[in-house]
Amino acid sequence: MSESYLTTPIYYINAKPHIGHAYTTMLTDAIARSRRLMGEKVFFLTGTDEHGQKVERAAQKANISTPTFADQVSATFRQMCRDLKISNDDFIRTTEPRHHAAAQEIWRRVERAGDIYKGEYEGWYCTVDEIFVPEAQLVDGKCPTCGSKVERLKEESYYFRLSKYTQPLLDFYRDHPDFVQPEFRLNEVRTFVEAGLQDLSISRTSFKWGIPVPGDPKHVMYVWFDALTNYLTALGFGSGDPAAEERIARLWPTVTHFIGKEIVRQHALYWPAFLMSAGLPPPRRIVAHGFWLMGGAKMSKSLGNVARYQDYVEVFGLDALRYFVMREMPLGQDANFSDEIILTRFNADLANDLGNLVSRAITMIHRYREGRVPSCPDEGRDALDRDLVAATESTIASVKESFRAIQVSQALQETWALVRHVNKFIVERAPWVLAKDPANDALLDRTLYHAADALRIIAALVDPVMPDAAERIRRMLNINAPEPWSSLAAGTLAAGTQLNPVEALFPRIEKTIEELRGMTTSNDSTPAPAPASTAAAPASAAPTPAPAPAPPAESTDSRISIDDFMKVELRVAKVLEAEAVPKSKKLVKLRVDVGTEHRTIVAGIAEAYAPDQLIGRTIVIVANLKPAKLMGIESNGMVLAASPEGGLPNLVAVDPSLPAGSRVR
Ligand code: MSP
């Protein structure tokens, strides 16, 4: 039996999980499940990256000890795995003793190879991304990756001789052109390496929350040196256990790391270099996906524009969330996360296409054949039958291929082409007409058989992405266990099978987008700190900013035209009344004069302003926002406020003498 080892990044614990983390974990899970269905043995690892100054500071801010803080936040990622039905085999925490042993062992090996020396680091450091930023790469004095403030560091540090690996890395990339998927990401790394590598600072002395450097505990390891090693820890590296040696030899050469595109350099450059130095082979493959965007910017805790996976599981169900993210993001490209797109996909793809197929196929067998799958002799088959069987067979082959190629969106598109084909087949055959005349019995049998048989195949093919839906379809078809993909073929549904009652798989959601927004309002929707590129962030509690038009693949230019900007009607308003929203820490209900009328706006500014501090203020609002319900109150607009990183919102002020209703542009 072939085997493979799949990993997600281990997630930082300075923030709770959001859709971005959930996505990589669900994607890796879908691939793991597909491989198991294809008969492979899979070892699937995820976990949390818990060291570093950022975590130490977050714990201080929360006023709890760092280990307690780490336990609490790490538990939310473990919970995410349960909530999302992730089939991981291990969950690693970098604070575990097994990981300390592994990281120290790899350090020693690298040291023995003569690749570590002591020096002094002086330069800029971004604690958000935990990276050193060369002066020339700063953008307006800030981190080029996340836009956060960088800090000047000057301290004694151990260095890794990364420069020594310039040529070995280039040779490795040349010999392994499929090392990074998509391929263009490898080209980016190659270009970077070709420009020449500088040695890398791999220890810090200015904080303690890390793994001590062997033999010099005043230093802790650079978090990436520590974190990357997790992939070996989970196989038992550094444990001294002889069984671990065998496990590493077996699994390490098969490893695929699934990551977001922002950490390709660490995985495709630092990591192979550390491994080469330690005498171990580089990973087999790195798969780098794009970003989920919200309102045109990368969804991230530091920008404050995150969506909680829990809200979407609650409203749409887990399978629908898993389907949406896999379908909407082709590998390597960015995609927009918005309530509108999820709702549309839910109703079109899940309720209409798949839901209808399930209910039609199962209901008709109950209605016309007392719930027993009819037999389907070969004779009498016509072009319509043959086309459907051929489409089913070719879909099985192409979906397998797409999963192998980690093209899950494509696999789903192929599966949905089959779903639509079966729906069309049913409409063309019109079993409800055939059933009226017993002379059509054989044709009706064939029609019902093929529909149910294709549905069985569809259930098997959606299983890696929607395990619950697959199981429910199987239950209706009275099939006990998932079918292995190796023997999956059209025409093997047993005639005579007694079906179970039909269940509604994905009942249509008849809510408006505003009603949904109210439902997905996250408890965590702290007003967004202003990203480096925007002047002010909305203080409305609506979790999902209106979606930006889908950017072209890989577009990094999120600028808008003046026409786009002018669509947003910003106006001066006067606060007439203000009251706290019961049971909400963050929301305040305002009655404001906008010049032409008085309206109610619910704003997420209660932690920064008491209601009486607000009455009489002159503020700026987005006046043409569609209404949204927040805690049961209809909000007609959004208050603008700026939020310093990690701080409270500060209302955007204009000269109080301006009349209400003045346009701001
Ligand atoms: N701790 C490091 C990884 C160390 S791996 C040895 C880290 N952690 S993180 O918490 O910042 O998680 C980053 C990963 O989360 C991304 O690489 C990606 O997998 C996922 N995502 C976080 N935000 C995302 C989006 N907005 N969109 C898609 N994935 C995102 O980096």
Side-chain angles (χ1 to χ4, degrees), residues 8-15 18-25 48-50 54 77 128-130 223-224 226-231 258-263 266-267 289-294 297-301 306 329 335:
T8 72
I10 47 168
Y11 303 109
Y12 288 135
I13 52 158
N14 61 316
H18 59 67
I19 288 284
H21 311 112
Y23 172 69
T24 319
T25 316
T48 43
D49 185 357
E50 306 190 9
K54 188 169 47 177
F77 281 90
V128 172
D129 290 325
E130 303 282 10
V223 280
W224 276 100
D226 153 356
L228 288 160
T229 314
N230 91 86
Y231 300 131
F258 288 80
I259 58 170
K261 65 181 180 183
E262 84 288 11
I263 53 176
Q266 288 85 339
H267 283 80
H289 63 70
F291 288 154
W292 283 102
L293 310 174
M294 280 271 262
K298 180 191 173 196
M299 188 190 289
S300 87
K301 154 84 178 172
V306 295
M329 182 179 274

Side-chain angles (χ1 to χ4, degrees), residues 188-242:
E188 290 170 0
V189 178
R190 185 187 290 118
T191 307
F192 184 83
V193 177
E194 276 166 353
L197 294 173
Q198 288 180 6
D199 291 347
L200 182 70
S201 164
I202 50 164
S203 77
R204 305 279 309 271
T205 54
S206 52
F207 65 95
K208 286 271 149 278
W209 185 242
I211 300 183
V213 164
D216 195 351
K218 131 169 149 275
H219 287 254
V220 293
M221 292 179 198
Y222 171 44
V223 280
W224 276 100
F225 191 94
D226 153 356
L228 288 160
T229 314
N230 91 86
Y231 300 131
L232 282 170
T233 309
L235 300 182
F237 182 81
S239 65
D241 176 0

Side-chain angles (χ1 to χ4, degrees), residues 318-328 345-346 349-350 412-413 416 420 462 465-466 506:
L318 173 58
D319 274 349
L321 174 66
R322 290 178 60 117
Y323 172 79
F324 170 75
V325 293
M326 304 291 163
R327 171 65 184 80
E328 200 61 25
R345 282 229 175 270
F346 184 94
D349 301 4
L350 299 180
L412 290 172
Q413 289 173 55
W416 255 253
R420 293 191 191 107
V462 300
V465 173
M466 303 199 289
F506 293 108

